[in-house]
Amino acid sequence: MQTVFSAVLYDVPQAAVIWLALIAVAAIVIAALIVRPDRFRSVFGERISEAARPSSLDLAAEARERSRERARFAQEVEVAAARAAATAERRRTEWLAAQDEVEAAWQAYEAAEEDVRRLAAAAALPLPRTARTPAEYADRERWLHRAATAAQERGEITVAQLSDILGHRGWDPRRHPVEQELLLRRLIRDNVRARHEAARAKEQAAWRAAELAAAAARSLRDEAYAATRPDPEPQAALSIVDLGGPETTRELPAPARAESAPVARGRAAVPAF
């Protein structure tokens, strides 16, 4: 037992010296952290940043995957843009055709209105007197039927209106032919005016469809152009927590903003696509 105690007591001073040395080193580190915290903070921050960054192999694989996805997306958008451009061109053609229909309907209405004014002026004059006999009334009725049938064949009146004339529903065949023709021309004028209004409504609908199609084509074209451009440099941001200090953030400078793609502009009624 004395030998054991002698060995232990012999090692106690050495252990005490080692512990005192460790305590001294710890005290020096703590003092250094208190006196110069920025120096150690930057060293620790750089080591943490290096550990947080992905490896070069991971970055290369991620870049290749992004490139494949961007190429696939750009191809899909280009196909959609081509289809939208074809649709916009078709809608513009339909709108131009609708404009032609409106112009033709307006010219027909002006001609019909001129006929009504001319016949109204003629009807204002004293009508020639004829003998009111059954033969005269039969001639007037035949004239009305022939005039109405010819107008229906030209497409100036409908089949229902012709049926009303032949059935004498709202029409008196005993009237003078001048009066009958004036009434018939007024009916034709009203029909032409209704067709003009329908053509104008169709033209307005075609214009809205062409405008929407052109806007969709422009949007897809810009999106396709943007999809073919390389991705901008990502903004890296890393938060480092200081020992005993507030949280700080380091940010890389943002890349310069790229100019937007040029947009085609024209003086046509429907925007260019």
Side-chain angles (χ1 to χ4, degrees), residues 40-113:
F40 292 93
R41 183 188 313 162
S42 61
V43 174
F44 293 154
E46 291 177 357
R47 291 182 179 179
I48 294 174
S49 301
E50 292 177 358
R53 296 192 189 99
S55 64
S56 59
L57 296 177
D58 295 337
L59 291 175
E62 184 178 356
R64 287 193 299 271
E65 183 64 24
R66 285 200 307 267
S67 178
R68 285 194 296 267
E69 292 180 357
R70 184 170 60 249
R72 183 168 57 253
F73 176 73
Q75 185 178 4
E76 294 176 355
V77 174
E78 286 178 0
V79 173
R83 293 177 178 175
T87 301
E89 181 64 25
R90 186 171 62 253
R91 293 288 184 267
R92 182 179 176 84
T93 303
E94 293 174 355
W95 171 65
L96 294 176
Q99 273 192 330
D100 294 339
E101 292 181 4
V102 171
E103 183 64 22
W106 175 252
Q107 292 178 1
Y109 172 74
E110 286 185 336
E113 181 66 23

Side-chain angles (χ1 to χ4, degrees), residues 186-247:
R186 285 175 177 172
L187 177 62
I188 293 173
R189 180 200 59 185
D190 295 340
N191 291 341
V192 173
R193 180 169 55 190
R195 283 195 292 269
H196 173 261
E197 292 176 355
R200 186 172 58 181
K202 181 181 177 182
E203 186 267 341
Q204 291 294 327
W207 154 253
R208 288 190 294 269
E211 191 176 27
L212 292 176
R218 287 197 307 272
S219 177
L220 287 174
R221 182 199 58 196
D222 295 341
E223 188 174 358
Y225 175 77
T228 57
R229 302 182 64 185
D231 294 336
E233 292 293 336
Q235 295 183 359
L238 179 62
S239 297
I240 304 174
V241 180
D242 297 335
L243 297 176
E247 183 177 359

